[in-house]
Amino acid sequence: MTPAIAVASAHSNIALIKYWGKSDSARNLPAVPSLSLTLDGMTTTTRVEFDAELAADHVELDGAVTAGREQARVVALLDRVRAIRAFDSRARVTSQNDFPTAAGLASSASGFAALALAAASAAGLSLSLEAVSGLARQSSASAARSLFGGFASLPADSECAHQVAPEGHWDLRLLVAVTEEGRKPLGSTEAMEVTKQSSPYYAAWVTHAPLLFQEAERAVRERQFDTLGASMEQSTLMMHASMWATRPAILFLTEGTLAVMHRVRTLRSQGLPCYFTIDAGPHVKVLAEAKHAEAIQRELALMSQVKRVIPCAPGPGARLLSNTLLTGKALPC
Ligand code: PMV
C-alpha cells in the first residue's frame, strides 16, 4: 500500500444530558442515553498517514510523543481500522488541540472523533458519518457525538450517535468557566467503573437518566430554554451525586466549581437566565441564550475563582481537511 494521508478536524461537545457508566465495558457501550451540543471552539486537528515502511505506530499529541495508555488507545482505534480494511500498515499520527488536553474540557471527544475520521479516510474506507461515529465510540463514547454538528444524541447501548438538530437550530451559547489549569487527577473511564462497582446510587442514576434525556430532547426540538436548563442541571448533579457515594468518593467539584454553580443560580434569580453543567473535571459550563451571553460572561469573568471564560456557540461536525469525501455505508450502524 502506498502512503495514504488524511487530515480531519473535530470540535469538543459538551453533554447537556450526561453519559456516565457502561452497559458493556468490553464494547464500550453507554448505560444511559446522552444529549450533547457540539461547540464551534475547542478544536482537535489530526493527521494520519499509513506507511507500509513503518515498523510501529508513531503518535504525537500536542508535539509530544505519546506512550502508555494514551498511545494504546490510539493504536486500538488504528487496529480497528486496519481490521476493517484488512491491511497491516503502521501509521504516523499527529494531533493538535487548541485547548488544554485531559483537563475536563472534553479533549477525548474531539480527539477521537478527529482520529476516527482521519484514520478511516487515510485507509481509504468509505463509511457513513454514523459508522465513523461508531468507530470513535469504541474509544470514547462522548467522541461518537462530535462527528455531528449542533445537537447530537447517543442512545443507551447504542453503537453510534445521531444528529438531533443542526447547529443553526438554536442560537445558544455555552460559556466555559475554567476554574483550574492542568490535567485532571482521574480519567473518566476509571471513575465510571468505580461508580458502577461501588456507588449505591448508580442503579438510581441508570433508571432515572432516560427520563431526563426524553425531557431534554423535546426541549431542544421545541427550543424550551428553561426546561432544557433544568434537566441539564439535574443530569449533572445526579451524575456527580452517584460519584460522591462511591468508596473512596470521587470529587471532581472543587471550591471554585461550587462558587460558580452558586453564582449561576444567583444570576438566574436576578433575571439572567443561565444554567450550569460540569463534566469529569472542575470547570463549569454555563448555558445561555445568545442575547444574554455577554452579560453572563462579564459576571463570570469577575469571579476570582474563574481563570478565564471561553465562549462557545453551536458548532459543526467533524470534517475532512484533505483526502476523499465520505460517501458510502460500509459498516452497519
Ligand atoms: O467518553 P468519555 O470517556 O470521555 O466520558 C465522558 C463523560 C462525561 O464527559 C462526563 C459525560 C459526557 O456525556 O460527555
Side-chain angles (χ1 to χ4, degrees), residues 15 17-20 34 108 140-142 145 188-189 192 239 279-280:
I17 297 296
K18 302 301 183 196
Y19 143 64
W20 193 255
S34 56
S108 70
S140 160
S142 60
R145 302 181 309 235
S188 49
T189 301
M192 278 180 207
M239 178 185 88
D279 292 292

Side-chain angles (χ1 to χ4, degrees), residues 33-49:
S34 56
L35 173 69
S36 62
L37 180 63
T38 299
L39 308 178
D40 66 345
M42 299 205 267
T43 313
T44 303
T45 305
T46 300
R47 179 183 185 278
V48 175
E49 176 180 5

Side-chain angles (χ1 to χ4, degrees), residues 148-160:
F148 302 95
F151 300 85
S153 68
L154 177 64
D157 300 317
S158 179
E159 299 277 341
C160 62

Side-chain angles (χ1 to χ4, degrees), residues 13-20 30 32-37 142 145 151-156 174 205 208-220 227-239 276-279 287:
N13 73 77
I14 298 299
L16 309 175
I17 297 296
K18 302 301 183 196
Y19 143 64
W20 193 255
V32 295
S34 56
L35 173 69
S36 62
L37 180 63
S142 60
R145 302 181 309 235
F151 300 85
S153 68
L154 177 64
L174 207 63
W205 157 252
H208 206 80
L211 306 176
L212 286 177
F213 173 83
Q214 277 167 20
E215 181 181 53
E217 195 186 30
R218 192 174 327 115
V220 165
T227 307
L228 177 61
S231 50
M232 182 181 88
E233 283 194 358
Q234 194 179 358
S235 172
T236 194
L237 290 172
M238 277 172 37
M239 178 185 88
F276 60 75
T277 186
I278 305 117
D279 292 292
L287 189 70

Side-chain angles (χ1 to χ4, degrees), residues 59-328:
V59 182
E60 279 182 34
L61 178 56
D62 288 334
V65 179
T66 58
R69 190 172 138 67
E70 201 165 48
Q71 156 98 356
R73 289 181 78 188
V74 173
V75 171
L77 193 150
L78 296 171
D79 283 343
R80 287 196 292 278
V81 169
R82 283 188 278 254
I84 299 168
R85 192 73 171 84
F87 74 85
D88 198 34
S89 292
R90 302 293 109 180
R92 240 174 249 109
V93 178
T94 48
S95 190
Q96 204 72 39
N97 286 335
D98 69 356
F99 62 100
T101 301
L105 290 172
S107 56
S108 70
S110 55
F112 284 108
L115 177 66
L117 186 54
S121 177
L125 288 171
S126 176
L127 304 180
S128 67
L129 272 185
E130 277 77 12
V132 180
S133 165
L135 206 52
R137 193 262 318 145
Q138 293 172 69
S139 300
S140 160
S142 60
R145 302 181 309 235
S146 269
L147 269 304
F148 302 95
F151 300 85
S153 68
L154 177 64
D157 300 317
S158 179
E159 299 277 341
C160 62
H162 309 275
Q163 189 174 57
V164 171
E167 53 268 39
H169 170 70
W170 198 358
D171 204 10
L172 295 180
R173 294 290 179 273
L174 207 63
L175 307 169
V176 180
V178 176
T179 55
E180 270 167 53
E181 307 289 0
R183 289 191 162 227
K184 60 187 182 183
L186 188 64
S188 49
T189 301
E190 195 184 340
M192 278 180 207
E193 203 47 41
V194 175
T195 312
K196 185 175 176 179
Q197 297 308 331
S198 78
S199 174
Y201 297 169
Y202 182 73
W205 157 252
V206 172
T207 304
H208 206 80
L211 306 176
L212 286 177
F213 173 83
Q214 277 167 20
E215 181 181 53
E217 195 186 30
R218 192 174 327 115
V220 165
R221 290 190 198 283
E222 296 173 1
R223 299 187 194 85
Q224 300 284 346
F225 184 72
D226 289 313
T227 307
L228 177 61
S231 50
M232 182 181 88
E233 283 194 358
Q234 194 179 358
S235 172
T236 194
L237 290 172
M238 277 172 37
M239 178 185 88
H240 283 281
S242 72
M243 281 185 256
W244 285 15
T246 63
R247 194 189 284 199
I250 301 168
L251 296 179
F252 284 115
L253 314 193
T254 61
E255 279 175 51
T257 318
L258 291 169
V260 180
M261 290 161 70
H262 283 289
R263 188 75 191 124
V264 165
R265 285 162 66 99
T266 304
L267 291 174
R268 201 155 74 217
S269 70
Q270 292 170 347
L272 270 182
C274 55
Y275 294 85
F276 60 75
T277 186
I278 305 117
D279 292 292
H283 317 297
V284 185
K285 289 102 182 185
V286 180
L287 189 70
E289 290 163 296
K291 61 187 174 197
H292 297 299
E294 275 183 28
I296 294 163
Q297 183 177 347
R298 264 198 306 276
E299 293 290 341
L300 295 173
L302 285 174
M303 297 183 70
S304 62
Q305 296 90 347
V306 174
K307 308 270 184 243
R308 60 204 165 93
V309 181
I310 309 170
C312 299
R319 65 195 177 101
L320 279 173
L321 304 179
S322 74
N323 210 340
T324 49
L325 285 171
L326 298 172
T327 47

